[in-house]
Structure formats: C-alpha cells, structure tokens
Amino acid sequence: AEVVLLAMAPASTRPVLREALAMGADRAVLLSDHWFAGSDTLATSRILATAIRRLEPFDLIFCGNFTLDGSTAQVPSQIAELLGIPNIMHVSAMEFRQAQPLLVTQKIEQGLVKLEAEPPLLLSFIKEANKPRYSSFLEILAAETREIAVWTNADLHLGAGLIGLGGSPTQMADL
C-alpha cells in the first residue's frame, strides 16, 4: 500500500508534513495557492476532492473528524459526496481482516457501533483513535530530504467561482 498525505494549507505547514513523512508516509502533497484563501467547507471540499481524484486510484481516505480552524466536521462528508463514495464519521477504530470487509468501530451518542465496509471509502477519525507512532532520529533526518509536492490551482484547474471566497456560499461574520 502507499500512504499519501494531502493537506490544504499555507506553505508554513511543511514541518507538519515532514513529521508525518518521518512516521512512515510515502509521499506528501501540499495544496497551497492564494486562490484557495477564504474557502469555506464546501470550497475546501471541492479543492481536496479534486486533488484526491488526481491521486486515483485509491481505496481508503482517512480524515480527522474536525478541522483546527472551524471544527465544523463538514469537510469529510462533503469530500465523500463529491467523490461519490461512502463515508463513516466518528471512527474510533478500524481493523483490516483477511479477505473480509473492514471492521469499523464508530462512536455514537449511546456508545459504539461496529460496521463492516468495503473500499473505496472515506473514514473520519475521532482524536481518541490516534496512537501516534514515534519516529526515530534517522527517520526524522530522512524526512528532511524528502520532496513535498506543492499543487496550486494551476494543477487542479478549478474555476474561481468554485474556490476561495468566490466559491464559498457561507461567510464567517464574527468570532
């Protein structure tokens, strides 16, 4: 399997991607362009879904449940909808089983539910599901030399009315 990191963020995010490369990811792609600035969850999902299509074929897409900036939990389900694949949110655990569907544990209001699912599939994980793998010094050094591809809108070819402020039907009034 190949693990590809995909982040839509400013160029200053590279150290975070390098840390994930040191943890074992195969490659990283940073989506960064001034045209993306001001994107709401829908415009962000369009950008991410378009980039994911460039990476096809894929089996599993892993997302965090919430973003750091808005904490809306809308982006994973919107990406899945735009890609036309199933989405399971609030995942606390996932188990690969030989010649069987994935076994996914989902946190719900009254406890946990176990689901079987087949790829292609998008899973968004809750924070508690993560048990970070710590990197060795040699892995950290090796990650420093790895390329992080940067894709802009020139690579994705999305119209200005679909991204950034122009493609965002919702606007933050105040915080």
Side-chain angles (χ1 to χ4, degrees):
E2 180 183 36
V3 175
V4 180
L5 306 168
L6 184 62
M8 181 179 144
S12 60
T13 306
R14 286 175 191 219
V16 175
L17 293 173
R18 290 213 184 280
E19 184 178 348
L21 287 168
M23 289 182 181
D26 296 299
R27 57 188 177 118
V29 177
L30 176 60
L31 304 171
S32 191
D33 193 321
H34 71 279
W35 287 101
F36 302 159
S39 292
D40 69 354
T41 61
L42 180 59
T44 297
S45 299
R46 284 185 190 123
I47 294 163
L48 289 167
T50 301
I52 291 167
R53 278 193 197 98
R54 283 194 67 187
L55 295 169
E56 284 184 314
F58 56 82
D59 295 311
L60 297 171
I61 300 168
F62 297 157
C63 296
N65 230 27
F66 296 99
T67 58
L68 293 176
D69 52 0
S71 294
T72 61
Q74 296 173 346
V75 171
S77 56
Q78 289 175 339
I79 292 171
E81 180 68 21
L82 291 167
L83 293 174
I85 62 173
N87 169 38
I88 301 175
M89 295 190 67
H90 313 298
V91 174
S92 63
M94 180 192 72
E95 181 182 332
F96 289 103
R97 303 179 301 169
Q98 286 284 345
Q100 295 182 40
L102 293 171
L103 183 61
V104 178
T105 304
Q106 181 184 42
K107 185 176 180 183
I108 59 172
E109 289 179 10
Q110 305 302 320
L112 300 172
V113 63
K114 293 212 180 255
L115 306 166
E116 288 187 333
E118 298 267 353
L121 180 67
L122 185 145
L123 302 171
S124 55
F125 288 83
I126 60 174
K127 181 178 165 183
E128 296 78 18
N130 186 28
K131 294 178 183 130
R133 178 187 168 286
Y134 294 101
S135 306
S136 72
F137 182 68
L138 290 176
E139 290 168 322
I140 293 168
L141 286 177
E144 288 300 318
T145 63
R146 307 260 309 273
E147 178 189 358
I148 296 174
V150 178
W151 292 354
T152 66
N153 197 44
D155 299 299
L156 302 181
H157 309 290
L158 289 163
L162 297 174
I163 58 174
L165 287 173
S168 299
T170 57
Q171 303 286 319
M172 176 73 77
D174 195 7
L175 183 63

